[in-house]
Amino acid sequence: EPEVTQTPSHQVTQMGQEVILRCVPISNHLYFYWYRQILGQKVEFLVSFYNNEISEKSEIFDDQFSVERPDGSNFTLKIRSTKLEDSAMYFCASSLLQGRDGYTFGSGTRLTVV
Amino acid sequence: SQQGEEDPQALSIQEGENATMNCSYKTSINNLQWYRQNSGRGLVHLILIRSNEREKHSGRLRVTLDTSKKSSSLLITASRAADTASYFCATDAEGAQKLVFGQGTRLTINP
């Protein structure tokens, strides 16, 4: 069964450093998403991406965040200057029909900011 | 807010018993989805129920949806120790391009 692949599975970074989280969505999917889950809390929407542009973003997704689809297969989330409160599990997801057929989530990247 | 709210927050039952988790939401939806998450791991899609459906089955899972009450339930029959996980409902609202997750129910199956 097709999977959404995320790398790395765990990243530790110093506060103030830039990080890039990588995702390979399912190849024929058209809609891409990032979500995050702070430890012990619920999953929160960050951003959706379609046709090479952001289609919706949450208030969490401020200027320190950016997304990119640099080629035909990767979808990245960049955090420019990490803060301690950015420590969370970050999930990438993709869908074919804008969620009407469901979403496929990756296994996540655990980001720890120290 | 479209947030889904789930109850109970935690549920502990004996292996073999049935587990029922409930979810409520606030806005009109296209569909509602249930996900499972083992501790510290990824989200596994369990089942999707569309707004025009009332009940759906998948193996030992049974999901109901009542759009008039804006609520859904997930029933796991004949529970197993491997069912121990957190279960989240997530709503896909009309006009939105995102899922909104509930707080989740932490299910523990005791052998």
Side-chain angles (χ1 to χ4, degrees):
Chain A
E1 188 167 329
E3 291 183 341
V4 173
T5 305
Q6 288 187 245
T7 55
S9 57
H10 190 187
Q11 179 149 2
V12 181
T13 189
Q14 296 270 348
M15 191 169 54
Q17 294 295 307
E18 174 183 288
V19 295
I20 297 176
L21 310 183
R22 302 180 191 281
C23 169
V24 179
I26 293 175
S27 60
N28 65 332
H29 282 188
L30 303 175
Y31 298 85
F32 314 112
Y33 312 84
W34 284 100
Y35 289 78
R36 79 170 186 192
Q37 184 183 34
I38 295 171
L39 186 63
Q41 298 186 23
K42 64 180 178 181
V43 178
E44 300 174 291
F45 168 77
L46 291 178
V47 66
S48 59
F49 191 86
Y50 169 72
N51 199 26
N52 281 320
E53 61 182 28
I54 291 173
S55 45
E56 189 168 347
K57 62 182 180 179
S58 72
E59 58 274 13
I60 302 169
F61 194 88
D62 61 22
D63 291 344
Q64 70 161 343
F65 291 92
S66 62
V67 289
E68 193 177 29
R69 188 155 163 82
D71 52 43
S73 60
N74 291 285
F75 179 52
T76 62
L77 174 69
K78 182 191 291 186
I79 309 175
R80 286 192 187 82
S81 178
T82 50
K83 299 179 281 208
L84 294 177
E85 54 265 38
D86 294 327
S87 294
M89 183 79 98
Y90 288 82
F91 293 106
C92 174
S94 68
S95 71
L96 178 60
L97 299 174
Q98 202 175 328
R100 294 195 298 277
D101 57 334
Y103 299 75
T104 303
F105 280 81
S107 55
T109 293
R110 181 170 298 284
L111 176 66
T112 303
V113 182
V114 298
Chain B
S1 161
Q2 185 202 330
Q3 291 180 352
E5 300 297 331
E6 296 175 68
D7 78 274
Q9 291 188 344
L11 178 62
S12 181
I13 61 173
Q14 294 299 120
E15 197 167 19
E17 293 180 340
N18 296 340
T20 299
M21 290 159 273
N22 302 296
C23 168
S24 62
Y25 58 93
K26 296 182 179 179
T27 64
S28 296
I29 60 172
N30 292 316
N31 61 67
L32 184 145
Q33 303 171 35
W34 286 89
Y35 289 83
R36 184 183 73 215
Q37 185 182 37
N38 288 63
S39 181
R41 307 293 292 275
L43 294 163
V44 175
H45 180 261
L46 295 176
I47 198 163
L48 179 153
I49 186 164
R50 302 185 195 285
S51 60
N52 61 352
E53 298 175 310
R54 292 297 166 258
E55 188 170 313
K56 205 159 182 180
H57 297 253
S58 177
R60 293 184 296 114
L61 304 181
R62 174 178 165 247
V63 168
T64 62
L65 178 65
D66 186 336
T67 52
S68 66
K69 294 181 180 177
K70 292 186 168 57
S71 67
S72 174
S73 67
L74 171 67
L75 169 67
I76 303 174
T77 60
S79 62
R80 305 168 182 168
D83 295 329
T84 294
S86 290
Y87 291 82
F88 295 90
C89 72
T91 50
D92 186 16
E94 289 181 358
Q97 299 190 42
K98 61 186 180 185
L99 283 177
V100 177
F101 283 80
Q103 295 280 6
T105 294
R106 193 167 54 254
L107 175 65
T108 303
I109 308 299
N110 302 303

